[in-house]
Amino acid sequence: MTVIRRRGWEIPERLATPEHLVFDRRALLAGGASLLAMTPYAAQAQRVGDLANLPDPSADLYPAKRNEKYTIERPITAEKINTNYNNFYEFNSSKNVAAQAQKLPIRPWTVKIDGMVEKPIEIGIDELIRKMTLEERTYRHRCVEAWSMAIAWSGFPFAKLVEFAKPLGSAKFVRMETFMDPKVAPGQRQTWYPWPYVEGLTMAEATNELAFLATGAYGKPISKQQGAPLRLAVPWKYGFKSIKSIVRFSFTDKQPKGMWEKLQASEYGFWANVNPAVPHPRWSQATEEVIGTGERVPTQIFNGYGEYVAGLYKGLEKERLWA
Ligand code: MTE
């Protein structure tokens, strides 16, 4: 995705560590990094090489059961194509981020839930994933850059995370934040981006049945370049809303400002619902290139998901719903 800048794993199953041996989160929280060196997880990391290349302790959960309600007419984009054509600006601004993204350590990975909630929570990703029932859904994915793919995500409905978080009645939005670690993510050393990557949804959007938190894709844990270990999928919105590698969910009564909105509000707004009739200020959104097929097809309003989400925007017609 471009802005007018004023300048411009896998190892065999038999080697996978059982989840309860992976790491002791309390020990980690109490003792900090020095204790990390003593956990079985870290000991294995030393054997394998480094923390970035450990086996995924959730691998036994995949493939998840398919939810036939969420299927699409388009063939699924081949995994090899999908995982080699990504936007992940924390690593670089080309589509070729797969190799660099492998440097991201995804265990241990703590998810914070805070803001307007009954009680703030910090939870390890594996504890969180195992509280949820994973399912597989196929969704269209439409980038604001006028290209699209079709993906078989595995994960759980965002509504289940909201249920777990117990937000107060006064919360109107949920703000999400990506990891921040310029040592592993060279893009985060580019100070003209307002890091960390942030995105937000209204509570009604987050609890809409389509809003999905993906932990897997293509029948296995989600790849790092696709946003491991936890990534949003809101298929009726332009892809930049689907924030990757989430570390924090904050419930708030203030509309969150996403990273792209902070950078270029005239081009990337809060709502960003797909609409072929509303061009991006610099290009048409009428059609999209279906990556991997050489085809261009007409773009559909709400990316074809109007029956699920159009009702969310009744009474909001005065808002800039489409960009
Ligand atoms: N999330 C983070 N943290 N960093 C990013 O650069 N890019 C966004 C979105 N989420 C991005 C992100 C954009 S512009 C798109 S189109 C999708 O991720 C791309 O997802 P994909 O690489 O799985 O196709």
Side-chain angles (χ1 to χ4, degrees), residues 1 82 85-90 141-145 147 149 151 153 178 195 197 225-226 231 239-245 260:
M1 156 166 174
N82 189 334
Y85 189 93
N86 302 97
N87 275 336
F88 207 164
Y89 277 70
E90 283 80 350
H141 167 46
R142 169 63 158 83
C143 180
V144 73
E145 298 164 334
W147 55 262
M149 296 199 202
I151 301 141
W153 297 119
T178 295
W195 305 112
Y197 201 103
Q225 58 270 37
Q226 289 172 297
R231 177 243 169 92
F240 69 89
K241 294 292 296 182
S242 289
I243 179 172
K244 298 182 171 185
S245 305
W260 291 109

Side-chain angles (χ1 to χ4, degrees), residues 66 70-82 136-140 148-153 217-219 226 290-293:
R66 270 200 59 72
Y70 307 101
T71 48
I72 49 175
E73 74 302 343
R74 270 185 211 175
I76 301 295
T77 306
E79 182 186 356
K80 214 171 169 176
I81 292 177
N82 189 334
E136 185 179 87
R137 300 178 173 195
T138 55
Y139 277 175
R140 286 181 289 274
S148 66
M149 296 199 202
I151 301 141
W153 297 119
Y218 298 97
Q226 289 172 297
V290 185
I291 301 297
T293 66

Side-chain angles (χ1 to χ4, degrees), residues 4-323:
I4 306 178
R5 249 198 304 114
R6 306 308 169 197
R7 311 166 285 149
W9 351 306
E10 241 179 359
I11 64 153
E13 181 80 4
R14 69 192 152 78
L15 294 180
T17 311
E19 196 252 348
H20 67 281
L21 293 178
V22 167
F23 66 92
D24 182 335
R25 192 176 72 87
R26 278 196 202 94
L28 268 178
L29 289 175
S34 60
L35 269 179
L36 180 63
M38 291 154 58
T39 62
Y41 188 85
Q44 190 181 6
Q46 262 177 354
R47 285 200 301 278
V48 175
D50 70 290
L51 273 173
N53 294 309
L54 283 167
D56 191 308
S58 65
D60 61 299
L61 297 173
Y62 304 90
K65 190 165 180 279
R66 270 200 59 72
N67 185 338
E68 297 297 342
K69 183 169 180 197
Y70 307 101
T71 48
I72 49 175
E73 74 302 343
R74 270 185 211 175
I76 301 295
T77 306
E79 182 186 356
K80 214 171 169 176
I81 292 177
N82 189 334
T83 54
N84 285 287
Y85 189 93
N86 302 97
N87 275 336
F88 207 164
Y89 277 70
E90 283 80 350
F91 292 95
N92 71 61
S93 57
S94 80
K95 297 288 178 279
N96 194 4
V97 299
Q100 268 186 316
Q102 302 319 304
K103 299 206 173 80
L104 179 66
I106 54 168
R107 298 292 189 291
W109 188 277
T110 304
V111 176
K112 266 191 194 170
I113 300 175
D114 61 8
M116 299 174 127
V117 289
E118 279 182 17
K119 197 167 159 251
I121 301 172
E122 282 196 21
I123 185 168
I125 187 70
D126 292 299
E127 201 183 332
L128 177 65
I129 293 177
R130 283 174 198 274
K131 278 187 191 296
M132 302 291 163
T133 306
L134 300 190
E135 59 180 72
E136 185 179 87
R137 300 178 173 195
T138 55
Y139 277 175
R140 286 181 289 274
H141 167 46
R142 169 63 158 83
C143 180
V144 73
E145 298 164 334
W147 55 262
S148 66
M149 296 199 202
I151 301 141
W153 297 119
S154 315
F156 53 90
F158 202 141
K160 294 286 174 196
L161 187 281
V162 173
E163 206 179 293
F164 173 67
K166 300 198 175 73
L168 304 179
S170 46
K172 295 193 171 73
F173 302 90
V174 54
R175 174 191 183 275
M176 291 151 279
E177 199 176 296
T178 295
F179 75 90
M180 180 72 193
D181 188 352
K183 286 193 297 303
V184 296
Q188 292 184 329
R189 291 178 221 147
Q190 297 180 320
T191 53
W192 54 88
Y193 290 107
W195 305 112
Y197 201 103
V198 164
E199 263 309 334
L201 296 173
T202 64
M203 292 299 292
E205 290 176 324
T207 52
N208 180 273
E209 65 176 288
L210 276 185
F212 199 62
L213 286 164
T215 58
Y218 298 97
K220 54 191 175 194
I222 188 170
S223 70
K224 294 184 181 183
Q225 58 270 37
Q226 289 172 297
L230 188 65
R231 177 243 169 92
L232 178 66
V234 279
W236 71 97
K237 292 180 176 283
Y238 291 116
F240 69 89
K241 294 292 296 182
S242 289
I243 179 172
K244 298 182 171 185
S245 305
I246 304 170
V247 293
R248 186 171 173 195
F249 296 86
S250 305
F251 292 84
T252 167
D253 57 0
K254 294 188 183 57
Q255 185 170 303
K257 221 175 212 184
M259 187 184 87
W260 291 109
E261 188 182 359
K262 278 188 207 148
L263 197 60
Q264 196 73 18
S266 60
E267 302 193 354
Y268 310 107
F270 171 76
W271 298 98
N273 295 309
V274 175
N275 187 341
V278 179
H280 181 277
R282 291 180 284 133
W283 57 82
S284 163
Q285 295 289 23
T287 63
E288 62 202 52
E289 180 190 350
V290 185
I291 301 297
T293 66
E295 267 183 294
R296 266 204 106 76
V297 300
T299 288
Q300 305 175 65
I301 189 147
F302 291 116
N303 199 21
Y305 293 103
E307 64 176 300
Y308 298 96
V309 297
L312 292 172
Y313 305 103
K314 294 249 154 65
L316 292 173
E317 291 79 6
K318 288 205 176 98
E319 296 275 325
R320 205 179 113 210
L321 292 174
W322 310 108

